[in-house]
Amino acid sequence: MQRSDLIQKYAAVRNVTHKICEPLQTEDYIVQPVPDVSPPKWHLAHTTWFFETMLLQKFSKQYTPHQSLYGYLFNSYYQSLGPRWDRQNRGTLSRPTVKEVFKYRSAIDERIAELVYEVPETDWDDFSSLMVLGLNHEQQHQELLVMDIKCILGLNPLYPSYLEQVQTANPALPVMEQKFIRFPGGLHEIGARGDGFYYDNEAPTHCVSVADFLLADRLVTNAEYLEFIEDGGYGEFRHWLADGWDFIQQNGISSPLFWRKVEGSWHEVTLSGLDKLIPENPVCHVSYYEADAFANWSGKRLPTEQEWEVAATTAGVDPSRGNFLDDNLLHPRSASAVAQDGLQPRQMLGDLWEWTGSAYLPYPGYRRQAGPLGEYNGKFMNNQMVLRGGCCATPRDHIRISYRNFFQPEKRWQFSGIRLADDPR
Ligand SMILES: [Fe+2]
């Protein structure tokens, strides 16, 4: 990539982060309502710390840190980069102020803009690939920012609005009947290929053997999930994994994270406040445990990540049609609102991350990189499940068919939904 193209891309990506924060009030930047949620101020500083640490400290001659303790405050989980402030206490810090964090961003942006033209040709490949990683890291945090803002506002009983109106369903369109598309089994190659950026956890490409399988042509809707609830789904241990059953008992869970019953009718917290639940929209903010229990109750199952990737590749799904951060809906659309070619499954890219039945494990031949970047993905490869496809808070140019997201099975503050799979009978 040319130097001018790289710095343009840098400015564009950094600017998206600022755009996401524009509707916030100063107080919204600071709070941490639950340990999983980081204050927006922390995201703004942490993504900046990443560029400062991985790029400026490595390539800039005689660089002195912007503030010597920011490394301690804004390092997320890199043990090789020293001690860190506790994640669960990120919301306890009133300083640095929001203003100071924005100044920190500007200062690092200025230094990066200079550095792009100072780096010698001999270091360019190394430098530019770290810059691209930093930009992808910032895009991951853009999605996290939206998730965290939704929790900060949505767990507040005033249900403040972030977006004027979340437009999600088109009542003129009929609810789409769920159909299952048959995909042929056999040996298939999966994993990231090509020259573009991908994370180390998407490689190496390798062959997998899958049997013939059926995949739903759309996501599970709120109406379908409501049937599960009304059928006593949360009260019947037979549908649940043992850990999932314990988790919902211990935490008093009986509906998706943002569902609220108001005067006898179901509502949903969205980024524009508390709205009536729209039955034809996809159910979202469910944990792996809930997705798996719903699939069991339906007499179906979740797809494996291999099946998901084979289906997406075979069908030729394309991010240009998906509902992503760029569309600024920040909520999944109903399947009827999605354009479709022939028997292509809808909503596979964008709308919601889809839980798969696959544990997050290294692909055959995967090796962690040396140094701090070896901590980016590899050390999380246990006790988490893979999700595929991106969501309405993912930047469109950040997603790929081979992209592997991962969360612990009880987490549900991410935009996660359910697509069913089945075996031909
Ligand atoms: Fe990060």
Side-chain angles (χ1 to χ4, degrees), residues 1 5-6 9-10 13 50-51 55 124-139 195-199 376 398 400:
M1 198 187 289
D5 292 343
L6 187 58
K9 176 83 182 152
Y10 176 88
V13 170
F50 193 92
F51 284 108
L55 277 300
W124 181 250
D125 284 353
D126 192 15
F127 175 83
S128 58
S129 63
L130 278 170
M131 275 282 279
V132 170
L133 176 68
L135 292 172
N136 278 275
H137 173 251
E138 179 111 8
Q139 289 188 309
D195 299 332
F197 173 84
Y198 51 85
Y199 287 111
Y376 199 112
H398 185 66
R400 293 168 292 284

Side-chain angles (χ1 to χ4, degrees), residues 240-415:
W240 295 81
L241 290 163
D243 286 354
W245 180 251
D246 289 348
F247 186 77
I248 62 166
Q249 300 300 309
Q250 284 157 13
N251 293 281
I253 289 171
S254 56
S255 65
L257 176 62
F258 286 114
W259 285 28
R260 302 283 182 273
K261 211 165 203 177
V262 183
E263 292 171 0
S265 75
W266 282 109
H267 287 63
E268 184 176 18
V269 180
T270 71
L271 277 155
S272 45
L274 190 65
D275 293 333
K276 273 213 163 220
L277 188 74
I278 297 176
E280 61 266 45
N281 274 352
V283 63
C284 62
H285 297 290
V286 287
S287 65
Y288 174 77
Y289 294 141
E290 289 168 306
D292 180 75
F294 177 87
N296 282 333
W297 171 82
S298 309
K300 310 287 185 199
R301 62 176 174 82
L302 299 176
T304 64
E305 68 164 323
Q306 290 80 12
E307 288 170 337
W308 193 98
E309 187 165 330
V310 166
T313 307
T314 308
V317 295
D318 173 359
S320 69
R321 293 188 173 196
N323 166 21
F324 290 101
L325 176 70
D326 317 52
D327 300 293
N328 204 34
L329 293 177
L330 305 185
H331 203 73
R333 296 171 301 179
S334 84
S336 337
V338 182
Q340 180 196 36
D341 284 335
L343 260 185
Q344 204 180 56
R346 300 182 194 216
Q347 303 161 310
M348 282 197 85
L349 293 178
D351 286 303
L352 292 177
W353 288 104
E354 300 177 17
W355 283 110
T356 72
S358 297
Y360 178 49
L361 292 171
Y363 282 168
Y366 172 82
R367 296 286 177 272
R368 283 195 217 174
Q369 297 177 55
L373 294 178
E375 295 187 60
Y376 199 112
N377 281 314
K379 72 180 186 182
F380 300 111
M381 289 174 172
N382 79 319
N383 298 335
Q384 313 217 39
M385 302 304 286
V386 173
L387 301 96
R388 293 300 197 106
C391 74
C392 54
T394 312
R396 179 176 278 108
D397 66 355
H398 185 66
I399 201 68
R400 293 168 292 284
I401 285 176
S402 60
Y403 199 110
R404 307 174 79 200
N405 197 0
F406 50 93
F407 278 96
Q408 285 105 354
E410 73 279 10
K411 301 298 185 207
R412 54 189 201 150
W413 97 107
Q414 71 281 15
F415 287 85

Side-chain angles (χ1 to χ4, degrees), residues 53-336:
T53 307
M54 305 297 179
L55 277 300
L56 289 174
Q57 293 195 3
K58 182 168 179 188
F59 295 97
S60 194
K61 285 180 196 119
Q62 296 167 331
Y63 180 78
T64 49
H66 179 82
Q67 215 288 3
S68 56
L69 277 176
Y70 279 9
Y72 176 65
L73 292 183
F74 302 125
N75 174 1
S76 49
Y77 52 66
Y78 297 89
Q79 304 227 31
S80 50
L81 296 172
R84 295 153 305 285
W85 184 253
D86 271 352
R87 182 181 177 182
Q88 62 200 40
N89 290 326
R90 286 174 187 167
T92 62
L93 300 172
S94 62
R95 307 299 173 99
T97 63
V98 174
K99 223 183 239 176
E100 284 165 336
V101 166
F102 275 108
K103 270 193 191 157
Y104 176 41
R105 284 182 72 87
S106 303
I108 298 306
D109 288 350
E110 277 173 32
R111 285 295 295 120
I112 290 282
E114 290 162 3
L115 184 60
V116 164
Y117 290 99
E118 288 165 9
V119 169
E121 203 57 45
T122 45
D123 287 344
W124 181 250
D125 284 353
D126 192 15
F127 175 83
S128 58
S129 63
L130 278 170
M131 275 282 279
V132 170
L133 176 68
L135 292 172
N136 278 275
H137 173 251
E138 179 111 8
Q139 289 188 309
Q140 279 186 300
H141 277 273
Q142 289 166 356
E143 177 172 334
L144 287 162
L145 258 172
V146 175
M147 286 158 55
D148 290 357
I149 290 168
K150 186 166 181 178
C151 272
I152 288 166
L153 301 179
L155 299 179
N156 182 320
L158 294 172
Y159 301 121
S161 172
Y162 167 86
L163 264 184
E164 221 165 77
Q165 193 188 4
V166 168
Q167 297 165 345
T168 50
N170 184 341
L173 296 170
V175 176
M176 226 186 89
E177 189 200 335
Q178 179 177 242
K179 295 195 189 81
F180 283 81
I181 302 172
R182 185 175 181 134
F183 289 91
L187 277 182
H188 296 266
E189 191 181 69
I190 68 161
R193 54 183 76 78
D195 299 332
F197 173 84
Y198 51 85
Y199 287 111
D200 61 353
N201 63 3
E202 300 166 58
T205 54
H206 58 284
C207 269
V208 294
S209 169
V210 295
D212 288 5
F213 64 96
L214 304 171
L215 190 69
D217 64 346
R218 61 159 172 78
L219 294 166
V220 168
T221 63
N222 284 329
E224 287 159 345
Y225 200 81
L226 193 53
E227 275 180 52
F228 167 65
I229 294 180
E230 287 175 348
D231 193 41
Y234 280 88
E236 176 51 74
F237 73 87
R238 285 177 183 80
H239 307 314
W240 295 81
L241 290 163
D243 286 354
W245 180 251
D246 289 348
F247 186 77
I248 62 166
Q249 300 300 309
Q250 284 157 13
N251 293 281
I253 289 171
S254 56
S255 65
L257 176 62
F258 286 114
W259 285 28
R260 302 283 182 273
K261 211 165 203 177
V262 183
E263 292 171 0
S265 75
W266 282 109
H267 287 63
E268 184 176 18
V269 180
T270 71
L271 277 155
S272 45
L274 190 65
D275 293 333
K276 273 213 163 220
L277 188 74
I278 297 176
E280 61 266 45
N281 274 352
V283 63
C284 62
H285 297 290
V286 287
S287 65
Y288 174 77
Y289 294 141
E290 289 168 306
D292 180 75
F294 177 87
N296 282 333
W297 171 82
S298 309
K300 310 287 185 199
R301 62 176 174 82
L302 299 176
T304 64
E305 68 164 323
Q306 290 80 12
E307 288 170 337
W308 193 98
E309 187 165 330
V310 166
T313 307
T314 308
V317 295
D318 173 359
S320 69
R321 293 188 173 196
N323 166 21
F324 290 101
L325 176 70
D326 317 52
D327 300 293
N328 204 34
L329 293 177
L330 305 185
H331 203 73
R333 296 171 301 179
S334 84
S336 337

